[in-house]
Amino acid sequence: MADIKVSIVGGAGYTGGEALRLLLSHPSVQIGQVTSESKKGKYVHSAHPNLRRQTTLMFSGRDELAPCDVLFLCLPHGEAAATIDRYLDLAPCVIDLSADFRLRDPALYERWYGHAHPRPELLGTFTYGLPELHREELTRATRVSGTGCLATTALLGIYPLVAGGLVDERHIIVDAKVGSSAGGVAAGADSHHPERSGAMRSFSPVGHRHTAELLQELPFSTMPADSTASSGPAVHFSATAVEAVRGVLVTAHLMLRQECDERRIWQLYREHYGTEPFIRLVKERQGIYRYPEPKILSGSNYCDIGFALDSENGRVVVISALDNLMKGAAGNAVQCLN
């Protein structure tokens, strides 16, 4: 296969660095340029010391970008939407890792982001970049959106059970815990070590923006009007910051529509993910890692999924975990490239 020339915009951040790390060892990829406005002219390893002796690339400015085959946009949320035209003209395929083009409905975007999208006419032109849900569309896509790390963890965990008609769509409860790297490379009070160390901080008990992705992507039997609706499908989503640097752990509580046994739940997962290379079903009888654990997924592109059945109360608890910088961002984007 001929080399695919890939450039990365915003390569000094966490997701840009992880994308570069993966693409440097990709057998079919040639790295064109990596941009950073703050580190222009400096070696890439000045921002990513783990890449020492793996590349002699230097950061360039965005105004120096040359045409390429695939362009990765690893910009802060809001920047891609404001400057998207310059990038669409540079490459026949653009993969945007930000939140700017994840939603297809402008009204859904305004509801969850608090302002109108600057380019609403482009929202429907991006394919939601989760291969396990949209593999066929991705084979034809020229514009791909990133996926929220919390949304990805939750979607992969509960999608087969919703698709199988097993759960009460009115009461989907999702609790997500996430490490500090999800906040990006820019420092702030919430990432300051004395404040973050030892913390288990609920930062979004209601109203988290990744809820919108669940409402959009889950295969509900009827269209949800709102995540807080009293009738019809609804997702109740809470997010908590924990001391870990990498990782997402989702615990989802799903009420069953009818009685079922573990065999039926296993069947739904295996039917949906039987051939997926990065989905692992985890449910051990012994040991401390009986259920998914983000710690052991650091640096990998796996999403581990497990569950516990509460037959007495008609409930299944789904536990899913991944590395937010990998399967929740850069690794997932490289899957989309493939």
Side-chain angles (χ1 to χ4, degrees):
M1 186 175 180
D3 282 345
I4 302 167
K5 181 173 282 189
V6 178
S7 291
I8 300 173
V9 180
Y14 293 145
T15 57
E18 282 294 87
L20 178 58
R21 177 178 70 84
L22 297 171
L23 293 171
L24 282 171
S25 60
H26 195 298
S28 302
V29 166
Q30 173 191 353
I31 300 295
Q33 295 167 278
V34 183
T35 78
S36 170
E37 301 309 296
S38 63
K39 295 186 179 295
K40 181 178 177 180
K42 296 182 179 179
Y43 284 104
V44 163
H45 66 244
S46 67
H48 308 297
N50 59 310
L51 299 181
R52 289 174 183 146
R53 298 188 68 179
Q54 293 189 50
T55 178
T56 57
L57 279 167
M58 302 179 77
F59 288 113
S60 58
R62 294 181 209 172
D63 57 348
E64 302 173 81
L65 275 170
C68 59
D69 299 314
V70 181
L71 193 62
F72 275 55
L73 302 182
C74 302
L75 296 167
H77 301 318
E79 288 193 23
T83 58
I84 190 64
D85 288 332
R86 72 163 76 169
Y87 303 123
L88 295 178
D89 292 338
L90 285 172
C93 182
V94 173
I95 300 175
D96 173 36
L97 275 72
S98 78
D100 290 5
F101 296 100
R102 292 172 185 168
L103 303 181
R104 293 184 289 272
D105 183 350
L108 192 63
Y109 182 93
E110 186 169 359
R111 157 75 177 84
W112 288 96
Y113 285 82
H115 58 84
H117 196 281
R119 299 295 303 276
E121 75 280 7
L122 294 180
L123 288 180
T125 68
F126 281 74
T127 298
Y128 190 74
L130 193 52
E132 291 79 7
L133 272 58
H134 297 290
R135 179 167 278 102
E136 288 303 315
E137 297 99 310
L138 287 167
T139 63
R140 302 182 296 273
T142 57
R143 300 172 184 176
V144 178
S145 76
T147 63
C149 59
L150 304 182
T152 298
T153 318
L155 280 168
L156 293 175
I158 67 179
Y159 190 99
L161 306 188
V162 175
L166 197 66
V167 303
D168 183 347
E169 297 176 352
R170 299 169 300 170
H171 304 290
I172 295 175
I173 300 170
V174 177
D175 177 71
K177 299 176 179 65
V178 64
S180 58
S181 60
V185 73
D190 59 344
S191 62
H192 188 42
H193 179 72
E195 300 296 334
R196 189 79 187 209
S197 181
M200 290 182 282
R201 181 182 304 119
S202 181
F203 67 92
S204 189
V206 297
H208 195 283
R209 292 171 175 177
H210 288 191
T211 310
E213 294 173 56
L214 299 177
L215 294 172
Q216 173 180 275
E217 297 296 325
L218 285 172
F220 295 120
S221 57
T222 59
M223 183 65 69
D226 188 276
S227 71
T228 58
S230 58
S231 62
V235 175
H236 309 284
F237 187 99
S238 298
T240 301
V242 296
E243 186 176 11
V245 174
R246 289 177 180 246
V248 178
L249 179 70
V250 159
T251 306
H253 302 267
L254 309 175
M255 306 308 293
L256 297 171
R257 280 180 167 173
Q258 68 270 336
E259 289 186 14
C260 78
D261 55 17
E262 288 195 357
R263 184 180 303 177
R264 175 58 178 154
I265 298 172
W266 279 115
Q267 180 185 10
L268 288 172
Y269 279 121
R270 286 172 175 151
E271 286 175 356
H272 205 82
Y273 295 138
T275 59
E276 291 296 342
F278 292 112
I279 300 294
R280 302 190 302 191
L281 302 179
V282 178
K283 199 172 189 298
E284 304 290 346
R285 293 183 181 275
Q286 297 178 337
I288 62 172
Y289 297 112
R290 291 177 294 160
Y291 296 104
E293 163 59 68
K295 178 180 177 179
I296 65 173
L297 295 171
S298 183
S300 85
N301 200 53
Y302 290 110
C303 177
D304 284 357
I305 302 169
F307 68 89
L309 179 61
D310 179 6
S311 299
E312 290 186 6
N313 295 296
R315 176 181 64 134
V316 59
V317 180
V318 174
I319 304 102
S320 50
L322 51 72
D323 180 338
N324 56 289
L325 297 180
M326 285 291 295
K327 184 58 178 166
N332 198 62
V334 174
Q335 267 191 274
C336 293
L337 166 71
N338 293 339

